[in-house]
Amino acid sequence: MYKELPEAGKTTIALHRIAYLIYNYEKQFKPEEFMIIAPTRFFLNYISNILPDLGVDNVKQCTFEDFAYDVIGKKLKISDSNEKLVIIVNKSFDEINKGNTEIMIQEAKFKSSLNFKRILDEYLIDVENNYIPKEDFCFMGHTIMKHNDIDYLFKHTYKIYNYTMRINELEKNMISELNKKSPQIIEEIKSERTAKISGLTGKARVDLYEEYDKTIKLLEKGQKKIVKEYLNKIPKLDCVKYYKDFIDNYLQNSTPVMEYLKQNTGRNLSKNEISFEDLAPLMYIQIKIFGIKEKCKVKHVVIDEAQDYGEFQFDVLKNIINSNSMTILGDIAQGVHYYRGIENWKSFIEAEFKDVKTTYTTLSKTYRTTKEIMEVANKVIDKLPEYEKEFIVLGDPVIDRKNSIYMHECCRKEQAVVSEINNRINKHIEDGYKSIAIIAKDMKECEQLEKMLSKMRSDVKLIEGKDSEYNAGISIVPSYLAKGLEFDCVIISNANNKKYTNSSLDIKLLYVTITRAMSKLDVFYEDELTNLMK
């Protein structure tokens, strides 16, 4: 585990670690057995050339959503992973919570917790107890296997397997039992046939004989078909239908949060839609009941921006790789997805890796940005409440370059502000800088900036979160999509008191924004500069 500051090089360390493991443990690890989980495809493109440069190819690189698609094996509409964050930042609400973000936050926290997994485990035990048909396996009035014996094999003898593999093993066992008892049953059928046709003649005798003969041939050569008829009584549900049954019929309306969860999730599932927090439970149901496909099997997982994932997401990954072999990298100071992510490394390790050998490393040196810029960032993050700062380390910058910050109080006329931003862009380009980002707090502000700047220049690109390529140049980015990226120059479009309040989320968003800058930070603000930067 690497807990680190922005620009301390955690991603580079992780990629070099993969190369190290592959070269030094080539008998234990193959490149295709490694997986990197990154926050966005945009970020994956951003790092895509590093591993080949290290001489390592075929490492799986994906977002958590992409991997979930592979595991679940079913096309679903997944809401944007930033959806709840956007609602909180923009103060816009859906039709169920009607302005109450707290209940939405509590739902996301609960779904991402091990408590939610515990209730799901209880449901899966219930599914397991009722999986096998409540009847004996019989043929023509002959009992081949008692229900209790079949149920015991399924629940105990083959417990180490997922349900699909258990049924495969059970089928072999049932066919074997049928084979053992077939000779005796056939003899009894023949005796019964002889008795019944003795008084018949002509066509009636022939028809009855052939009917019994079909049954005998079925017993001799069609044991698998007979067993299948019994096993086909097991309901054919996929992981989504099981999850819907869990939400609709198993979870109790015991609290307002639970009531909201049932209503919100049920509504989404009815439209074949799910939220990011639904992925872990769906993946968990899939691997427990149906197993995991060969293409999803990995031995080591590297998780970047780990602070944005909850305990349940990590637990699912541990189940998939069937070990604790992970490289986990994160920075709680950038934990803007606090409603589902990690807020305390100590309690996280205690919950997920209590009895596991864990190496925990803090990276405090910063190599991306200048001393001046980092001092401003440290000033901002230090405004967090004391209880949130326990696992946050203030940056110790290596680069000492002067005149890297430009502060500008602007008027309320948008056109004049955008014109001044354009002037700063031109200045940075003249000075030889290649990548420039205008970072606004939310997407609405970004869209307005893009609309106005596009009238002045044609080289501006709005980053919307669905982008898969990064080609430097001039970008307009909302604060919550800037995480993990770096730019030669960052222009904050409006850092006033209204945009950035003293809330923990605003502090982290502004911290992320500031620390994207490598060489130059321009801060524009209307009326009064945010207290966070004073």
Side-chain angles (χ1 to χ4, degrees):
M1 286 188 61
Y2 293 90
K3 156 200 160 187
E4 63 100 46
L5 296 151
E7 68 275 331
K10 70 181 187 321
T11 304
T12 303
I13 287 172
L15 299 178
H16 279 79
R17 177 168 165 75
I18 290 174
Y20 168 81
L21 290 171
I22 289 171
Y23 282 116
N24 287 276
Y25 300 93
E26 58 182 342
K27 292 183 179 179
Q28 292 98 318
F29 294 112
K30 297 175 183 176
E32 56 270 24
E33 293 173 331
F34 282 81
M35 178 171 67
I36 299 170
I37 293 181
T40 63
R41 293 190 186 98
F42 187 70
F43 183 83
L44 286 169
N45 175 263
Y46 186 69
I47 64 168
S48 60
N49 293 323
I50 299 178
L51 280 172
D53 287 347
L54 293 172
V56 177
D57 294 304
N58 301 321
V59 171
K60 187 178 180 67
Q61 302 176 49
C62 60
T63 64
F64 190 84
E65 295 96 316
D66 292 333
F67 187 56
Y69 265 133
D70 285 345
V71 172
I72 295 168
K74 186 177 175 66
K75 288 292 181 183
L76 293 164
K77 183 179 178 183
I78 303 175
S79 63
D80 191 296
S81 62
N82 293 304
E83 181 186 53
K84 290 180 175 65
L85 181 57
V86 171
I87 289 172
I88 297 166
V89 170
N90 293 342
K91 297 180 173 60
S92 59
F93 313 107
D94 63 38
E95 61 190 63
I96 292 183
N97 63 44
K98 296 174 183 172
N100 184 359
T101 55
E102 186 56 34
I103 201 165
M104 179 189 72
I105 290 167
Q106 291 303 317
E107 181 220 23
K109 278 181 179 287
F110 181 56
K111 275 187 179 178
S112 301
S113 71
L114 291 180
N115 282 335
F116 190 64
K117 175 185 174 286
R118 178 182 54 78
I119 298 173
L120 185 55
D121 275 327
E122 291 170 0
Y123 166 76
L124 289 174
I125 290 172
D126 194 58
V127 170
E128 182 183 53
N129 288 335
N130 293 283
Y131 202 75
I132 298 300
K134 302 289 186 183
E135 57 187 73
D136 296 339
F137 172 41
C138 300
F139 183 80
M140 297 286 290
H142 298 270
T143 299
I144 310 302
M145 289 182 74
K146 290 284 189 181
H147 164 264
N148 287 345
D149 295 332
I150 300 170
D151 198 50
Y152 185 87
L153 287 171
F154 178 79
K155 284 162 45 179
H156 301 285
T157 307
Y158 305 132
K159 191 172 182 63
I160 60 169
Y161 302 126
N162 62 64
Y163 291 14
T164 301
M165 291 179 67
R166 292 189 209 184
I167 292 300
N168 290 339
E169 293 301 312
L170 198 55
E171 182 181 339
K172 295 175 190 175
N173 199 290
M174 293 171 73
I175 289 172
S176 176
E177 286 299 311
L178 185 57
N179 274 328
K180 288 178 188 175
K181 295 183 178 180
S182 288
Q184 181 184 343
I185 296 172
I186 288 170
E187 287 304 314
E188 290 181 19
I189 290 172
K190 286 179 177 179
S191 298
E192 184 180 310
R193 179 181 64 185
T194 301
K196 285 195 174 183
I197 66 173
S198 62
L200 299 176
T201 58
K203 188 174 184 302
R205 182 185 178 93
V206 172
D207 288 347
L208 187 61
Y209 186 93
E210 288 179 350
E211 185 180 331
Y212 272 96
D213 197 50
K214 284 180 183 178
T215 303
I216 291 168
K217 286 178 179 177
L218 180 63
L219 262 178
E220 289 174 338
K221 299 181 179 180
Q223 293 97 339
K224 190 169 185 177
K225 182 180 178 181
I226 296 169
V227 171
K228 284 285 188 187
E229 285 180 3
Y230 178 87
L231 295 176
N232 283 341
K233 295 172 185 176
I234 297 170
K236 299 294 185 290
L237 303 180
D238 59 26
C239 65
V240 178
K241 289 178 181 175
Y242 275 115
Y243 188 51
K244 192 174 189 309
D245 179 56
F246 168 67
I247 296 293
D248 291 343
N249 304 315
Y250 192 84
L251 280 181
Q252 302 298 311
N253 278 337
S254 53
T255 65
V257 172
M258 204 73 95
E259 185 178 349
Y260 171 81
L261 185 155
K262 286 172 67 70
Q263 186 181 0
N264 186 45
T265 310
R267 179 192 62 170
N268 289 338
L269 287 171
S270 67
K271 297 185 292 185
N272 210 34
E273 296 176 2
I274 57 171
S275 68
F276 181 87
E277 293 79 25
D278 293 314
L279 292 174
L282 281 166
M283 293 165 76
Y284 189 66
I285 292 171
Q286 178 69 27
I287 60 179
K288 285 294 181 182
I289 294 182
F290 305 104
I292 186 165
K293 301 168 193 151
E294 197 63 35
K295 69 174 183 177
C296 297
K297 291 181 178 178
V298 289
K299 288 185 177 179
H300 187 89
V301 178
V302 174
I303 304 142
D304 207 352
E305 302 295 342
Q307 75 280 350
D308 291 339
Y309 301 97
E311 293 173 345
F312 200 170
Q313 280 97 33
F314 278 98
D315 205 80
V316 164
L317 290 173
K318 287 199 305 182
N319 271 274
I320 289 170
I321 66 176
N322 198 28
S323 79
N324 296 290
S325 184
M326 293 183 177
T327 302
I328 300 168
L329 312 110
D331 178 11
I332 288 177
Q334 298 183 66
V336 295
H337 294 282
Y338 65 96
Y339 50 87
R340 68 163 183 254
I342 299 166
E343 297 181 277
N344 182 313
W345 291 121
K346 186 177 180 181
S347 60
F348 166 71
I349 294 170
E350 185 70 18
E352 289 291 346
F353 304 102
K354 184 178 181 180
D355 300 317
V356 177
K357 182 183 177 183
T358 305
T359 302
Y360 178 81
T361 304
T362 300
L363 307 177
S364 58
K365 292 288 185 183
T366 64
Y367 299 94
R368 179 196 297 153
T369 196
T370 69
K371 184 176 180 180
E372 287 182 342
I373 294 172
M374 200 65 228
E375 283 174 353
V376 174
N378 285 341
K379 185 186 294 183
V380 169
I381 204 64
D382 201 42
K383 298 288 200 308
L384 281 173
E386 288 301 321
Y387 70 90
E388 289 192 55
K389 291 195 291 187
E390 181 182 356
F391 291 92
I392 292 173
V393 179
L394 298 182
D396 181 12
V398 172
I399 301 168
D400 189 7
R401 188 185 297 125
K402 304 300 181 184
N403 302 315
S404 54
I405 297 178
Y406 171 84
M407 307 287 284
H408 181 77
E409 181 180 358
C410 50
C411 65
R412 296 189 180 186
K413 292 182 179 179
E414 283 186 316
Q415 190 64 41
V417 175
V418 174
S419 180
E420 182 58 29
I421 288 174
N422 189 50
N423 290 338
R424 292 299 297 172
I425 293 171
N426 290 331
K427 176 70 168 61
H428 293 318
I429 292 173
E430 287 172 12
D431 291 342
Y433 294 111
K434 303 295 184 185
S435 61
I436 302 166
I438 303 99
I439 303 181
K441 185 178 179 183
D442 56 52
M443 185 60 76
K444 185 178 179 180
E445 188 181 349
C446 286
E447 289 170 346
Q448 185 65 17
L449 283 167
E450 194 263 345
K451 182 179 178 181
M452 298 180 75
L453 263 176
S454 294
K455 293 176 182 178
M456 301 177 185
R457 57 193 316 125
S458 59
D459 54 353
V460 175
K461 178 179 175 59
L462 175 64
I463 305 301
E464 300 179 275
K466 299 175 183 176
D467 314 79
S468 58
E469 291 188 2
Y470 175 68
N471 298 310
I474 302 165
S475 306
I476 300 176
V477 194
S479 57
Y480 49 83
L481 290 182
K483 202 152 50 67
L485 304 179
E486 61 182 29
F487 306 92
D488 293 333
C489 310
V490 166
I491 300 171
I492 303 177
S493 59
N494 190 357
N496 68 8
N497 260 331
K498 288 183 180 178
K499 288 286 182 182
Y500 293 98
T501 68
N502 290 326
S503 73
S504 293
L505 178 58
D506 282 357
I507 291 170
K508 290 178 180 180
L509 287 171
L510 185 56
Y511 178 77
V512 167
T513 299
I514 293 168
T515 55
R516 300 310 93 202
M518 292 191 289
S519 299
K520 294 289 183 179
L521 174 68
D522 295 352
V523 182
F524 285 73
Y525 60 95
E526 181 185 299
D527 293 333
E528 186 179 356
L529 180 67
T530 173
N531 290 328
L532 303 177
M533 298 182 77
K534 292 179 180 177

